[in-house]
Amino acid sequence: GTHVTAMGADAEGKAELEVSCAAAADLIVVDSAEQNVAIGEVARAVASGAVSRSDLVELGDLLQPSHAHLRRAGASDKRVTIFDSTGVAVADAAIAQMVHGELTQSPSARL
């Protein structure tokens, strides 16, 4: 299989992935469907109809037990998967808080 983590699009009209790449994906995970459809790597693919908004799986949903079937992985996984990250401030804050907690609770922890 193949995985692409796309982080380049951060404004309307910017893109690094071709529409055909998104259309060929077996799984597209996004941090915020609303935001990704507006400014993400998948925006052009959705606008053109090559990818449906309903094909997008939000990262938070992917982590739920109801979506466990989408998380299969391993050497036999031949899927093409994309994670389109536009950046969501609340997720950044949660990650920063988690890292800070780890660093302050473990004197030997390093970045």
Side-chain angles (χ1 to χ4, degrees):
T2 302
H3 176 75
V4 175
T5 298
M7 301 175 70
D10 60 0
E12 188 175 341
K14 288 177 69 177
E16 295 177 339
L17 293 180
E18 293 291 331
V19 169
S20 60
C21 181
D26 299 300
L27 174 64
I28 301 174
V29 178
V30 298
D31 42 12
S32 165
E34 182 177 344
Q35 185 167 291
N36 290 79
V37 167
I39 64 168
E41 289 289 342
V42 297
R44 293 183 308 139
V46 172
S48 73
V51 171
S52 170
R53 183 178 172 150
S54 64
D55 293 331
L56 307 178
V57 178
E58 289 196 351
L59 182 57
D61 292 337
L62 182 68
L63 301 175
Q64 298 302 313
S66 60
H67 287 72
H69 64 285
L70 297 176
R71 296 193 302 262
R72 69 180 189 269
S76 65
D77 190 353
K78 303 296 184 203
R79 295 179 299 169
V80 173
T81 60
I82 295 174
F83 174 54
D84 181 7
S85 175
T86 54
V88 176
V90 70
D92 294 344
I95 292 167
Q97 182 178 17
M98 184 178 70
V99 170
H100 180 265
E102 289 291 321
L103 290 174
T104 56
Q105 289 188 11
S106 176
S108 62
R110 295 181 176 204
L111 289 178

